[in-house]
Amino acid sequence: MIKRFILLTVGWCCVALGVLGIFLPLLPTTPFLLLASACFMRGSPRLNTWLTNHPTFGPILYNWHQHGAITRKIKRRANIMIVVSFAFSIVVVPLAWHKIMLIVIGVTLLVWFNRLPVVESVAPRRENY
């Protein structure tokens, strides 16, 4: 009972952070949705079905769960947002060592992210997978 409550609470917090990540440049969407999906799988199959059948988030989760990959469109959008948000942050921060730190983190993130496999098509929505 307590475990289920914690999983559902963490899952909903991750969904909220994932939705905020759509609009806030430095907050990633996909990792939060993956974590929400993992929590819902263990805490509420009904909520996991809802999330995986969501018109926006479902195909992303399906491709990740089935192929460990993302689409080229999502990769392109994420790369643009990473570059824009880190460039903005580098311009805004006053200290040189902060700028260097942001450059190192941004380059590391881009290298890691661009090594993720690409799946060419968005998966069809399914009731359960």
Side-chain angles (χ1 to χ4, degrees), residues 39-109:
C39 290
F40 288 161
M41 275 187 227
R42 290 163 185 81
S44 172
R46 183 178 60 82
L47 288 174
N48 185 54
T49 300
W50 167 77
L51 187 61
T52 56
N53 288 321
H54 191 277
T56 302
F57 306 133
I60 297 168
L61 293 170
Y62 176 83
N63 286 331
W64 184 258
H65 289 305
Q66 295 300 315
H67 308 291
I70 57 176
T71 63
R72 198 169 301 284
K73 179 180 177 181
I74 290 176
K75 189 176 263 196
R76 184 175 47 251
R77 284 182 182 174
N79 275 315
I80 290 168
M81 292 308 295
I82 290 168
V83 169
V84 168
S85 61
F86 273 87
F88 176 76
S89 298
I90 290 166
V91 168
V92 170
V93 297
L95 300 175
W97 74 272
H98 286 159
K99 292 177 188 284
I100 293 168
M101 179 185 65
L102 284 168
I103 290 169
V104 169
I105 292 170
V107 169
T108 303
L109 177 61

Side-chain angles (χ1 to χ4, degrees), residues 28-43:
T29 298
T30 304
F32 286 117
L33 292 178
L34 292 173
L35 183 56
S37 177
C39 290
F40 288 161
M41 275 187 227
R42 290 163 185 81

